[in-house]
Amino acid sequence: MDQLKNQIPTTAEELQHYLELAKSKLTTNWDQLTDLFEHHTHELTIDNVLSDFKNFNVNPVTVSLTLISVTTLILLGKVFGSSSSEHHEASEKKHKKKSGKKKLSRAQRANKEIQEILDYVESEYVPEIDKYIENYQTLSKDELDNKFKFYDEMLLKELVKLDGIDVTGNDILRENRKKVIKFIQDHQKRLDKFKKDISV
């Protein structure tokens, strides 16, 4: 069986060559088979052949047809099998690409969360607070109070998020978190000072 497997073509060129060879052999064998049919039986019919197969009668006709069937099945299996394995390999590569992102360690994840909070506060709230302080004269007293409360509450919310980040056992992360907390608290103090100044 291993010897038979080694003879099965593995590339498209080998398969094409093998198919041409098989085609020419089948043509030659078909002629020989026809001679055998005529020689071994005078009345060869489909019913007789089917009957021989059902009853497991071994004769040149059943042996020849069995060999042709097995050869055809091997060739088809090889053709469709290689196509299926190529599809499977492509699918695996695609899956590896998708899941190729490394899973972050606990420290990397914590550092990423700290950085995201800093970036968010810098991009979303700091410019708005700057505008609020610069343009406060265009706002009514209610708008001033409402905006102050909003910014104060949003900054407090980000501080709570920072407190929830686990930096246990990592001095660098603890220091990073402390800097971001101070950054946010500085803006809270800035808001408090502003409110105090304009109330006077």
Side-chain angles (χ1 to χ4, degrees):
M1 188 66 171
D2 288 339
Q3 189 180 8
L4 182 62
K5 282 182 183 175
N6 290 337
Q7 293 175 354
I8 295 175
T10 55
T11 66
E13 292 81 22
E14 287 178 0
L15 182 61
Q16 184 64 33
H17 173 72
Y18 188 76
L19 286 172
E20 292 296 327
L21 187 65
K23 189 175 171 185
S24 69
K25 290 216 180 228
L26 282 175
T27 306
T28 306
N29 289 343
W30 185 257
D31 294 339
Q32 291 172 352
L33 187 60
T34 308
D35 292 343
L36 277 173
F37 286 162
E38 290 173 4
H39 179 68
H40 287 285
T41 180
H42 296 295
E43 293 181 21
L44 181 65
T45 64
I46 292 175
D47 291 335
N48 290 343
V49 173
L50 289 175
S51 174
D52 286 344
F53 272 110
K54 284 181 189 174
N55 298 321
F56 296 106
N57 290 340
V58 178
N59 59 42
V61 174
T62 56
V63 170
S64 297
L65 289 174
T66 302
L67 289 174
I68 290 170
S69 300
V70 168
T71 305
T72 304
L73 288 173
I74 289 172
L75 287 173
L76 289 174
K78 186 64 181 171
V79 169
F80 291 115
S82 68
S83 168
S84 173
S85 67
E86 285 170 9
H87 175 71
H88 180 69
E89 286 171 14
S91 175
E92 270 186 2
K93 283 180 185 174
K94 189 176 180 183
H95 178 69
K96 282 181 183 175
K97 251 188 191 176
K98 270 188 180 176
S99 62
K101 294 177 183 172
K102 289 181 184 176
K103 194 172 182 181
L104 298 176
S105 68
R106 185 178 63 82
Q108 288 171 325
R109 193 169 50 251
N111 191 51
K112 184 175 182 253
E113 289 171 12
I114 292 169
Q115 187 61 48
E116 284 173 353
I117 291 171
L118 175 62
D119 292 344
Y120 183 70
V121 170
E122 279 185 320
S123 65
E124 293 296 314
Y125 297 126
V126 172
E128 291 299 316
I129 291 169
D130 290 343
K131 277 186 203 171
Y132 168 68
I133 291 173
E134 285 171 21
N135 302 321
Y136 77 94
Q137 293 173 335
T138 61
L139 302 172
S140 69
K141 182 154 176 48
D142 285 342
E143 287 175 321
L144 277 171
D145 285 341
N146 289 338
K147 282 192 179 252
F148 173 83
K149 286 176 187 172
F150 172 76
Y151 293 131
D152 192 49
E153 190 178 316
M154 291 300 106
L155 292 175
L156 185 62
K157 188 178 172 186
E158 297 305 315
L159 286 173
V160 170
K161 283 185 193 174
L162 281 167
D163 283 340
I165 297 172
D166 183 15
V167 293
T168 310
N170 192 319
D171 293 337
I172 295 171
L173 283 178
R174 189 179 291 112
E175 193 59 36
N176 285 350
R177 186 176 71 172
K178 198 186 226 181
K179 286 177 184 174
V180 176
I181 288 172
K182 185 180 181 319
F183 175 77
I184 293 173
Q185 286 174 338
D186 285 346
H187 284 286
Q188 282 181 316
K189 287 175 188 172
R190 190 174 158 221
L191 278 170
D192 288 337
K193 183 180 182 308
F194 168 73
K195 188 175 183 201
K196 198 174 179 181
D197 288 349
I198 62 166
S199 297
V200 175

